Amino acid sequence: MGGGSWKVAYADFVTAMMAFFLLMWILNMAPKETLDGLAEIYATDSKGKTSQVSPLSTPNARMRVDKLDTRELKKDENDRSHIAIVQEIKATLDADHVPSGSSGVSSTSVGVLLHITGDVLFAPGSVAISEQGRKVLDEIIRVVKKYHVFIVVRGHASQDENPAPHPSKWELSSARATAAARYLMDRGGVDPKQVRTVAYADSLPLVPATDPNASAKNRRVEFYLHRPEVMTSLGGF
């Protein structure tokens, strides 16, 4: 009797009603500020034309954009300070005639990493800082104070190095990191709260043992200068 076409029409009607009630429920749950913004977007003037108001004109939207801009500005500011630190350290290394193969400096997303090999800072098996090493540490002190950064001092030993009189390369690399950190604090007056040390022994060589200069390159100390706010979450130091 009349076929089943009415079933299709009825199903469409039920679907439309479900969509309508879902829309009503969402609008009822939405904050008043969101509803005001939507009303402003779709408001019509006296001639019946839709007002050309940008969604960014709502209070919430402006707040979100302002926060995004603030984060971007902060990121740009950090990037500029990292670049400035890298440039100043490189200039000092050049002025002190530190060979490029004996040092390296690079910038990361949260700080600046400087490594100085053993030929510059320490003799094999020693933790006594050399004269040239003290000049490098004096520059690090100046940068830490100028930019108000925190620092992680990372001590390393080479694979073929004799750790004596230390029990092992772990104690040797720890003693090197400690010696450099103590110089920063005792000689330069760096706040101990800004300094941390860590030892790696020979577990993280800079170059393979087959490298002709592996002993000097892997017998090194690294200085990781970073912003104070990442002190507790800094990974991979």
Side-chain angles (χ1 to χ4, degrees):
M1 297 177 60
S5 58
W6 66 271
K7 297 180 181 179
V8 177
Y10 180 73
D12 291 342
F13 172 76
V14 172
T15 302
M17 291 302 296
M18 289 180 62
F20 173 76
F21 285 118
L22 180 60
L23 175 62
M24 292 298 99
W25 179 78
I26 292 175
L27 291 176
N28 184 58
M29 297 295 292
K32 184 177 182 302
E33 293 82 359
T34 300
L35 296 177
D36 291 343
L38 291 172
E40 185 177 1
I41 293 172
Y42 294 103
T44 57
D45 57 24
S46 59
K47 296 182 179 179
K49 296 180 179 179
T50 302
S51 175
Q52 300 298 318
V53 180
S54 168
L56 296 182
S57 65
T58 64
N60 281 351
R62 280 199 297 270
M63 181 173 62
R64 289 193 295 270
V65 172
D66 290 343
K67 287 185 177 180
L68 177 61
D69 289 345
T70 300
R71 290 195 296 267
E72 290 300 321
L73 288 174
K74 183 65 175 176
K75 180 177 181 297
D76 292 342
E77 179 183 340
N78 292 332
D79 289 343
R80 286 194 295 271
S81 66
H82 294 170
I83 293 173
I85 291 173
V86 169
Q87 291 175 339
E88 292 190 26
I89 292 177
K90 282 185 175 181
T92 298
L93 295 175
D94 292 339
D96 290 338
H97 306 292
V98 176
S100 58
S102 299
S103 64
V105 58
S106 59
S107 175
T108 72
S109 59
V110 294
V112 173
L113 177 63
L114 166 68
H115 74 259
I116 304 295
T117 64
D119 285 347
V120 176
L121 287 179
F122 305 105
S126 172
V127 297
I129 301 173
S130 66
E131 179 65 28
Q132 191 174 35
R134 286 194 288 271
K135 292 180 180 180
V136 174
L137 292 178
D138 287 341
E139 171 63 11
I140 294 175
I141 291 169
R142 187 188 68 80
V143 169
V144 168
K145 291 185 173 182
K146 178 178 179 179
Y147 293 95
H148 307 289
V149 292
F150 282 39
I151 185 168
V152 181
V153 185
R154 315 194 299 198
H156 299 265
S158 63
Q159 297 94 321
D160 60 348
E161 193 169 11
N162 182 2
H166 302 279
S168 73
K169 295 175 184 177
W170 289 105
E171 285 83 2
L172 173 59
S173 60
S174 176
R176 284 175 172 159
T178 301
R182 288 294 302 272
Y183 187 94
L184 299 179
M185 294 181 288
D186 296 346
R187 172 67 179 268
V190 176
D191 188 340
K193 295 179 181 178
Q194 295 177 246
V195 183
R196 284 189 293 179
T197 64
V198 62
Y200 288 106
D202 58 349
S203 64
L204 290 178
L206 187 64
V207 297
T210 54
D211 188 285
N213 299 313
S215 180
K217 289 182 178 180
N218 293 329
R219 187 180 72 250
R220 70 195 189 279
V221 174
E222 296 172 328
F223 304 89
Y224 199 83
L225 295 86
H226 62 90
R227 304 190 306 277
E229 63 265 28
V230 298
M231 187 70 168
T232 58
S233 60
L234 183 65
F237 62 84

